[in-house]
Amino acid sequence: MTGAALAAVAVGVILEDVRVFVAGGGVLALLILFAVLGGKRRPAGGEPPVRRLALARIEDLRATGGESADVPVKFRLTVAPEREDARSAYRVKTTQHINLVDLPAYRPRGIAVVEYRPDKPWDVRIVTRPTPEWSRRAEEAEIDSAPDSTLVSNPDVDEGSWCLLALLAFLAGAALVVLLFRGPLFTEVSDGDTPPGSPSKSSSTSRTFTTSTTVSGPSSSLLAFGRMRATAMELEGRVETGFVTEVTIEDRRMTVSGDSTRPPTGTFHLQTLPYELFPALVREARTTLGVRTPETWRIDITPGTGDGVGPRVRVTVTGPEGTAHLDADATARITDRRAVGERG
């Protein structure tokens, strides 16, 4: 749940989705609140668990370090329960903080006084300040080592396993949220959504591609001398090839498309186009085709039909009177005209 909440917050920020962000943040806040309240809640009243005293043989001990006066020590013990417990001696491992001053009193094959729970024999704690009677019994006692097969341990899932399960649950929750929002997260922005001045990304990098760029600023029309060719070279560098299947040029936008499966006759190279002559074609279309107040213009360049035929250039203008166009060859020589009202 925590992983899902954190992932929802991150997804909300990335997608700028207030609802997802608020939902994830709200769940995260509730989880923190429950954790705080759960930590402050005291266990319900009841009888404390029964603990009994016994003697234990220290099989081995190892201090694991520490910077304070009490250092953690790992013990391997053979616990010898009292006769009334009707239980034979058994092995157990336990870790307990021992003061550095008292540490020399614990040595291998020595006898210590321990406290254990009959219902949970692995819950063993060394009594560092036993009563005089138990101290005397520890000094006089001799306990044989129990075999390793008698080792008891907590049958519940250990702490390391709990940490692993918590990590897996955290990752699963995060993966679930990301999976639910995989569309908005990983879908590329379409060319129509590209803000002015920002290049759009190619729609595919394997077999086909479409990429465009928009120029901005004062006097930034692509009709300015040299602007078309410079923009075409920029797009060629972006798609890493000069062979394309279509080029569209508008006043402030240029788009190129390509398909790697097309034969050479179905493509043309960006650098072979006479960009410097295109402004004259646009001016011709805007002034001679019956569109007295042209509002928009567009140049569409596609491969020519037939072997050895260069690309075909079509200039389209639109205004209140309607739409008209003219066609030209790869050298910008006009080959056909269609004024407003003419079909073709």
Side-chain angles (χ1 to χ4, degrees):
M1 182 65 74
T2 305
L6 289 174
V9 172
V11 169
V13 172
I14 295 173
L15 299 181
E16 298 181 356
D17 192 322
V18 177
R19 293 176 299 175
V20 176
F21 177 81
V22 171
V27 172
L28 187 60
L30 288 176
L31 291 174
I32 295 175
L33 179 61
F34 290 155
V36 172
L37 294 179
K40 292 183 177 180
R41 186 178 59 185
R42 297 183 180 276
E47 294 184 1
V50 177
R51 304 190 72 91
R52 294 179 180 174
L53 294 176
L55 298 178
R57 174 189 172 96
I58 301 174
E59 304 292 347
D60 188 22
L61 75 160
R62 180 166 59 90
T64 58
E67 299 179 356
S68 62
D70 294 336
V71 296
V73 180
K74 291 184 177 181
F75 290 91
R76 285 197 304 118
L77 306 173
T78 292
V79 179
E82 294 295 288
R83 293 181 179 179
E84 60 268 19
D85 196 16
R87 182 186 182 96
S88 58
Y90 63 91
R91 286 281 188 98
V92 70
K93 295 180 180 180
T94 184
T95 300
Q96 186 170 331
H97 284 74
I98 303 296
N99 192 279
L100 288 173
V101 176
D102 300 329
L103 192 58
Y106 302 97
R107 60 189 184 280
R109 296 185 297 278
I111 305 299
V113 181
V114 298
E115 194 177 53
Y116 72 99
R117 290 179 56 177
D119 57 333
K120 296 181 178 180
W122 57 86
D123 186 1
V124 176
R125 183 171 59 87
I126 293 178
V127 180
T128 56
R129 295 291 184 268
T131 63
E133 179 185 355
W134 278 98
S135 297
R136 179 183 55 80
R137 293 179 59 180
E139 292 176 358
E140 298 175 353
E142 292 185 3
I143 300 175
D144 295 330
S145 298
D148 291 336
S149 59
T150 62
L151 179 67
V152 297
S153 59
N154 191 343
D156 296 334
V157 180
D158 58 19
E159 184 178 353
S161 299
W162 275 115
C163 292
L164 179 59
L165 290 176
L167 177 61
L168 292 177
F170 183 92
L171 295 177
L176 177 61
V177 172
V178 174
L179 184 64
L180 291 175
F181 291 92
R182 65 187 183 279
L185 281 174
F186 300 111
T187 301
E188 294 181 339
V189 180
S190 62
D191 287 342
D193 296 333
T194 304
S198 300
S200 65
K201 296 182 179 179
S202 60
S203 59
S204 174
T205 57
S206 56
R207 301 179 64 85
T208 62
F209 61 84
T210 297
T211 188
S212 65
T213 188
T214 303
V215 295
S216 60
S219 303
S220 58
S221 172
L222 287 172
L223 294 177
F225 183 79
R227 179 61 64 88
M228 285 189 190
R229 185 171 295 278
T231 304
M233 296 305 99
E234 176 188 342
L235 294 177
E236 179 182 348
R238 189 181 306 165
V239 299
E240 298 181 349
T241 180
F243 291 96
V244 297
T245 58
E246 184 179 2
V247 175
T248 301
I249 305 173
E250 298 171 282
D251 188 43
R252 296 175 181 269
R253 184 182 182 86
M254 180 181 291
T255 304
V256 298
S257 301
D259 187 346
S260 59
T261 62
R262 290 280 190 92
T265 56
T267 64
F268 57 92
H269 201 284
L270 284 172
Q271 296 187 23
T272 62
L273 299 176
Y275 299 102
E276 292 74 16
L277 302 179
F278 287 166
L281 290 179
V282 174
R283 186 165 51 251
E284 180 76 11
R286 297 177 67 178
T287 57
T288 65
L289 298 179
V291 182
R292 290 188 293 273
T293 54
E295 296 176 347
T296 62
W297 61 268
R298 187 181 74 251
I299 302 175
D300 295 297
I301 308 169
T302 55
T305 57
D307 191 14
V309 179
R312 187 183 70 167
V313 180
R314 169 165 290 187
V315 182
T316 304
V317 292
T318 303
E321 298 80 10
T323 300
H325 70 265
L326 60 79
D327 294 335
D329 59 16
T331 63
R333 182 177 61 88
I334 298 175
T335 59
D336 190 25
R337 298 172 184 265
R338 289 292 184 270
V340 173
E342 296 184 14
R343 294 184 178 181

